[in-house]
Amino acid sequence: MALDSRQKAALFAAAAAVRLLLFQAFPLLPDRLAGRVELSTPVSSFKRLQEGLYLYTHNVSPYDGGVYHHPPLLLPLFSLLPDASHHPFATNLLFTAIDLLSAHALARIADSGHAAATRLFQSPRQGLRWSTAAIAAGFLFNPFTLATCMARSTTTLTNLFILTAMAKACQGASATFLLAISAASYLAMHPILLFPPLLVLLYHTRNEKLQAAPNAWAFTAVHTLGLVLLCGTLLLVSAILAGSWDFLEATYGVRLLLPDLTPNVGLWWYFFTEMFDSFRDFFLGVFWLHVASYTPGLTIRLRTQPLFVATTLTGIFAIFTPYPSVADAALYLALVPLFRHLFPLMRYTFVASAAVLYASFLGPAFYHLWVYAGSGNANFFYAITLVWSLGLSILVGDSLFAALRDELDVQRPELRDKEVKRI
Amino acid sequence: MALLATLLALRKDARILKIPPFLSAFLIIVGVAWLLVLPLNEYSRSTYVSENALLPGQVHTYFTGSEHNVFRAYRHEVAGLVDLPVQQRTDKLSELLRASNLKVATQKYTYTPSGRNISDENVYAILQGPRADATEAIVLMASLKTMDGEHNYSGVALVLALARYFKRWSLWSKDIIFLVSGDSTSGPQAWVDAYHDAHDPSTIESLSIKSGALQGAVGVEYPAGPWGHRYDKLHIVYDGTNGQLPNLDLFNTAVNIASGQMGIGCTLQRMWHHRNSYQERLQTMLRGMLSQGLGHATGPHSAFIPYHVDAITLVTVGDGWHDEMGLGRTVESLFRSLNNLLEHLHQSFFFYLLLEAKRFVSIGTYLPSAMLIAANFSIMAIALWVQSGRPQEPIPNTAATKPAPKSITKDAAKDPDEKGKEQEQEAVEKPLEPPPVVVTKDGATAIIPAALLQVSERPLFLPAAFVVIAHFLGLIPLAAFNHIPVANLHPSFLLAANLTTLLPLATAYLLSRFNRPTPQESTLIHCFSLLFLGMYLSALATLNFSQSLIVGLLTAPLSFVRRSSGSRLAAKLQFALLAAINPVMVVYGATYVGKVELLHVLVKAAEGWHVWGMWTQVVVWLVWWPAWFSGSVVVALGLF
C-alpha cells in the first residue's frame, strides 16, 4: 500500500495549497494564533523567536532579554529569511515545507510496516491497516497540525526531526537516525528519551538488513557514543555562535527548572504557581523523574514493539512535559493511526476523542473568560487542560492496553476474543 | 468488571439505537422545563451584596438644598446647547466643566458602518481624587441622546451638577471621570476604546488626558426637559455587548441604595409594573435572556463591560413623585460606595439571570438547561455515527424464525430422507441468509447473524468535506451583510432569504446528479454537522448562555429530521419545516413579531460588528446557518 508518486504529489500539493491559502487569505491569523497559549509556549513561541532574532541581528546576545528560550542554532537559520513581520512569505513557505517533510517521514514509517510487524513480533491483526496516503493526509489536514503550522511554533521543527528519526530507524539508516535524534534532542531536550526505544528498533532493522545479528553491546556503545558526539558538536557550535555557554541556562535550564509559568495546556504551570518555594526543587525532581521513568519501563516491557513504545512516549510528552502545546498532541495523533490493528482492541476511543474535541472548543472559551472577560479565573482554564490531558491519557492508556492484549493473543492463542481480567 | 462487561455488551444491542431520538427529545423538554421552574422561590435566590467594602447606603448624602438651584441652572444651559452645532456645543460643555475646576478634554470620532456616517464629539473631565494616586478611576456619564433617541437634558445637567458638587469633597480616593458623550452607544464605545488604546487613530481621536484603571461606570438617562419632570421608578439597564454582564454587586448596590436609602422603586428589562408574580418573573427573565442573546449594546454602559469595567445605566421612567435630587443623591451614594472599593469587583456573580430587582438565578442553577439542549445534538451525533456503521441492507431473518421454503411445504408427502437431502441442496444453492455466528457468554449460547456484529467501513471524505465547506460558505453572507451600504441592505436580505431556501435544494440536486451520496454518507453529513453544533453550543453556553439556548432551541428540529428513503411526502414536509426555521426566515419573523423594522435590525447589526465588536452575526452565519444548511441538504436528498 505504498504511496505512489502521483497520489503523493497530489496530497502534498493540496496540503501546501491549503496552508499557503490560509496564510494569504487571513494575514492577521498567524500572529493571532502565535499569541495563543495553547499553541505557543515560552520555549516554542514564534514571537519570542522574532525577539531573539532582532537582538541577534543587532549584535546583542539574544539571551540577555530573558525572553528568548530557543536554542541558538535557530538564529542563523531564521536570520537568512526576510523579516517575518513585513515579508512573511518566506517564513510561511519554510513552515509549510517543514510540515510536508514531516508528512514524508511519516509516510516512510507507514510504508515500512514496522508498526504491526517487527522481527520479533507479528501482530495477529497486521492485515488491518490504513493506507499510507490516509495516514499522511490525517497528519497534514489535522486541524491541530494546521493551527501549529499557522502559529509557526518551533515545535513543528522538533516534530520533523522526531518523525525523521523514527523513519530512519525503520529503514535501518544509522547515521541519519543519529543526526535526526540528536537534532531533535538539541531542539527540545526531552526527545532524547526516545533514543532507547528507537535504538532497539534500529537494532531490529539492521538485523533484518544484514541477515545477521550485530553484537548488541557494541551496537549500543557505538550509537550512544555517536549520539553524545553529535549532541556535543551541536552544543559546541552553539556555544561558539552564542559566544558563551550562557545559553544552556536560558534554553535547557528553562525547560528543566520551569521559571516561566505562562499558562499552557500541560499540567505543570498551575501546580507550580500554587507551590511553596521550599518544595519547588523536590517536586521539579519528582515531575521530571515521572516523565523520564516511562522510557525504561515501556522499552523493557514492549521491547518487541519499539515503534509503539516511541509513539506512546510522544503521547506521554504531550501530557507530562513542562511546556507541552497542541503541537505535541498533533505529533502523537499523527502516529496513532499507524496502529490501526490495535483499534478493534481499544475500548474508550469515543470517550477519548470526545474529551479532546470538547476540550479544544472549551479551552479557548474558558481562557477568554479568564483573561479577557474577567468573569472567570485560572481554575476555568486549568480545568479544561485537565480534561485535555485526561483525553490524551485515556488514549495512551487504552492503546497500551490494546498493545498488551495484542501481544497476549500471540502468546496465548487460546485466550483470543476472551475477556481478560487484571490480576 | 462484570458491570462494565454488561455495559459494553449493551453497545451491541439493536434496541439501544432506538433510544437516542427519545432521549434527545427528553433532554430538550427537560431543558425547557428547567427554564420554566427557575422563577420559583425554590430555584432562585434573593440578591445580596457580597463585597463588604461597598457598604451600600451607609453614608449620609448631601446633594440637596441649594444644589437644586445649581442643577436647574445647568438644565437650562443644557437645553440651550443641545441643538447647537457640534463644535459650539463642545466648547460650551467644556467651559461649563472647566468652570468647576476640572481638567477637560474632548474626543472626536467617526464611524462608517454600512456606508452611514456616525460622527460626534465626546467631552470629558477628570476630577483628581484628593486622596487618590491616579491609579484607579470611576466614570459618571450621560449621553446627549438617550437610548430611545430623546434629548437627555436632565441627565447631562445632573452630570454637570454632580461634577461641581463632587469637586468640593475631599474624600475621593479614586479619580472620577465625567463623560458627556455624543450618542448613547458609539460615543462611549469610542471613548472607552481610546482609553484602552484599542482604537483606530485614523478615525477616532486619541485621548489627551487619562487617569488610572477604570473600576466602574454609571450612566444616567433622565430625558426631562428644562422645566423638569417627576418620575416614578428607576430602570436599571445592565446588559453588555455580547451578553456579558457587570458584576452583580454593582447592580445590587444600585438597587439597595435606590430602594432602601432613597425609596425609589427599581425595575429592569422594561417591566414597568412588576408585581412579583410567577408570570412577571418569567417574563423578566425571558426578556433578559432575549436581550443577552441578541448581544447588542443596550446603552452607554455596554461598551465598558467587555473591558472588564462593571457598568450600569440608570434610566428614569414613568410619572411619579421622585425628583432629580433623589436621582442625584442615589448617584452620590453609589459613588461613595464605589469609592470604598479596595479591589476590582470580583466577589459576586458575573453570570446570572435577574427575575426582579431583588431576585436572581445563579449560573449553577440555570446553566444545565442550555447544556442539556446542546447535549441533545451530541447524543444524536453519536447515534447517527453508530447507525452509519451498521450494515445498510436490512438483515433477513435468522434461521430460527424463517418460514420454511415453499418447495418443501408443497412436497410434504415425501419421505423424510429425501426431504433432508433437498434441504441440504437448497442450503448449498442459495446462501441467502447471512452466515450466523455462535456467541457464548456466561454459559448462554446465541446464534446471531454475522452482519449484526460487523461494523461497515465509513466513507468519511465526502461528509467531512461537505460540512467543512458548509461552514466556510457562511463567511460569504457574514462579510456581505457587514459591508453592504444601507440602501442595498433590504434587497440583499430578500435575496439572501430566497437563496438560503433554494440552496439546499440545488445542492441536493447537484449532489444526486453527479455523485449520488449513499444513505450512509448523508447520515454522516448529518452526524458531523450535529456534532459540531453540539460542541459550539456547549462552548457558547459558557460565554453567552442565552444565545446558546436560543440557537439551540431554534435548531432543535435538526436532531429529528432524516433523509426519508421511501415517502416523498415525508421529505417534503420535513423540508417545509426546515425552510420555516431557516435563520434568515427566523430573523424576518422575529422582526415582524417584535414590530421592529427589518432595516433597523440590519443596520444595527452592521453597526454592532464595526463599532461595538458584537459577535452575534458570527454565531448566526458560522454556527447556526451551516448546521441548518447541512440538515436541509440531508432532507432534500430524499427528494431526488
Side-chain angles (χ1 to χ4, degrees), chain B residues 100-437:
Chain B
S100 310
N101 268 329
L102 298 168
K103 277 192 195 170
V104 183
T106 59
Q107 183 206 20
K108 286 196 176 70
Y109 61 89
T110 308
Y111 289 108
T112 49
S114 43
R116 291 186 308 146
N117 181 27
I118 304 176
S119 58
D120 216 313
E121 194 162 0
N122 294 326
V123 182
Y124 67 102
I126 295 181
L127 188 170
Q128 282 169 317
R131 301 181 181 185
D133 51 2
T135 53
E136 291 178 341
I138 36 186
V139 180
L140 175 62
M141 64 190 157
S143 52
L144 284 159
K145 284 275 177 70
T146 64
M147 302 169 215
D148 300 329
E150 297 168 90
H151 286 302
N152 191 10
Y153 299 107
S154 300
V156 175
L158 191 65
V159 169
L160 296 173
L162 282 172
R164 183 175 177 278
Y165 170 74
F166 281 174
K167 177 68 187 172
R168 301 200 310 252
W169 282 97
S170 63
L171 46 78
W172 301 116
S173 56
K174 290 176 176 43
D175 287 357
I176 301 178
I177 302 177
F178 301 95
L179 169 66
V180 178
S181 62
D183 58 13
S184 73
T185 50
S186 318
Q189 185 75 49
W191 188 83
V192 78
D193 282 347
Y195 196 89
H196 296 95
D197 284 327
H199 62 301
D200 172 13
S202 61
T203 55
I204 297 155
E205 207 178 325
S206 298
L207 299 186
S208 53
I209 53 171
K210 282 188 194 176
S211 175
L214 301 181
Q215 301 294 305
V218 178
V220 183
E221 290 201 351
Y222 187 12
W227 307 109
H229 175 82
R230 289 182 173 244
Y231 58 91
D232 181 32
K233 278 179 183 158
L234 278 185
H235 180 219
I236 303 182
V237 192
Y238 57 92
D239 314 85
T241 314
N242 289 326
Q244 227 183 312
L245 304 175
N247 195 293
L248 190 55
D249 267 346
L250 180 64
F251 179 86
N252 288 343
T253 309
V255 171
N256 208 318
I257 290 171
S259 55
Q261 196 181 9
M262 308 295 159
I264 309 172
C266 291
T267 181
L268 50 144
Q269 301 298 348
R270 298 179 174 271
M271 296 290 292
W272 309 137
H273 304 288
H274 200 305
R275 287 184 309 274
N276 208 4
S277 67
Y278 171 82
Q279 281 87 351
E280 279 154 336
R281 283 183 180 186
L282 183 68
Q283 204 180 352
T284 314
M285 185 183 83
L286 292 179
R287 284 186 184 187
M289 286 176 60
L290 186 65
S291 173
Q292 194 186 18
L294 290 175
H296 61 319
T298 49
H301 61 285
S302 294
F304 286 81
I305 297 175
Y307 286 98
H308 196 185
V309 179
D310 302 295
I312 52 172
T313 300
L314 307 174
V315 185
T316 60
V317 291
D319 299 314
W321 54 273
H322 297 293
D323 69 351
E324 47 272 15
M325 299 317 278
L327 180 61
R329 287 207 306 280
T330 306
V331 175
E332 181 192 355
S333 188
L334 189 53
F335 269 69
R336 292 288 298 277
S337 284
L338 288 173
N339 187 43
N340 287 344
L341 280 181
L342 296 175
E343 49 183 328
H344 220 98
L345 282 170
H346 66 281
Q347 287 269 4
S348 193
F349 296 88
F350 282 101
F351 302 98
Y352 49 84
L353 293 175
L354 284 162
L355 304 171
E356 48 128 351
K358 290 182 178 171
R359 221 168 170 81
F360 78 109
V361 188
S362 77
I363 181 166
T365 319
Y366 69 70
L367 191 67
S369 67
M371 284 300 184
L372 286 175
I373 287 171
N376 116 69
F377 297 112
S378 305
I379 286 176
M380 284 315 286
I382 297 164
L384 289 169
W385 173 260
V386 175
Q387 191 193 329
S388 71
R390 296 279 163 133
Q392 299 301 310
E393 281 79 40
I395 301 161
N397 279 344
T398 42
T401 53
K402 198 191 68 161
K406 275 176 191 166
S407 57
I408 300 170
T409 43
K410 250 187 246 168
D411 310 318
K414 285 185 182 173
D415 60 314
D417 282 343
E418 271 188 51
K419 234 196 308 190
K421 275 179 199 165
E422 264 192 29
Q423 254 177 322
E424 268 174 22
Q425 273 177 1
E426 239 177 44
V428 174
E429 279 165 17
K430 301 198 292 177
L432 247 180
E433 294 119 38
V437 176

Side-chain angles (χ1 to χ4, degrees), chain A residues 22 26 32 130 340 346-348 350 354 357-358 361-362 365-366 368-369 372-376 380 419-422, chain B residues 1 4-5 8 11 244 305-308 350-351 374 378 382 385 457 472 475 531-532 534-536 538-539 542-543:
Chain A
L22 284 174
F26 305 101
R32 177 81 45 103
W130 270 321
R340 171 74 177 93
M346 289 171 65
R347 298 163 302 172
Y348 307 113
F350 186 79
L357 274 176
Y358 267 78
F361 278 92
L362 284 173
F366 279 6
H368 172 86
L369 286 183
Y372 300 107
S375 41
F380 280 51
E419 196 183 318
V420 284
K421 280 192 184 125
R422 196 177 47 198
Chain B
M1 251 356 219
L4 196 66
L8 287 175
R11 292 196 299 195
Q244 227 183 312
I305 297 175
Y307 286 98
H308 196 185
F350 282 101
F351 302 98
S378 305
I382 297 164
W385 173 260
E457 196 70 31
F472 274 97
L475 284 172
L531 189 71
F532 277 117
M535 254 172 335
Y536 290 143
S538 48
T542 64
L543 298 172

Side-chain angles (χ1 to χ4, degrees), chain A residues 225-239:
Chain A
L225 191 69
L227 179 77
V228 172
L229 278 179
L230 281 169
C231 285
T233 316
L234 284 171
L235 292 179
L236 196 67
V237 174
S238 306

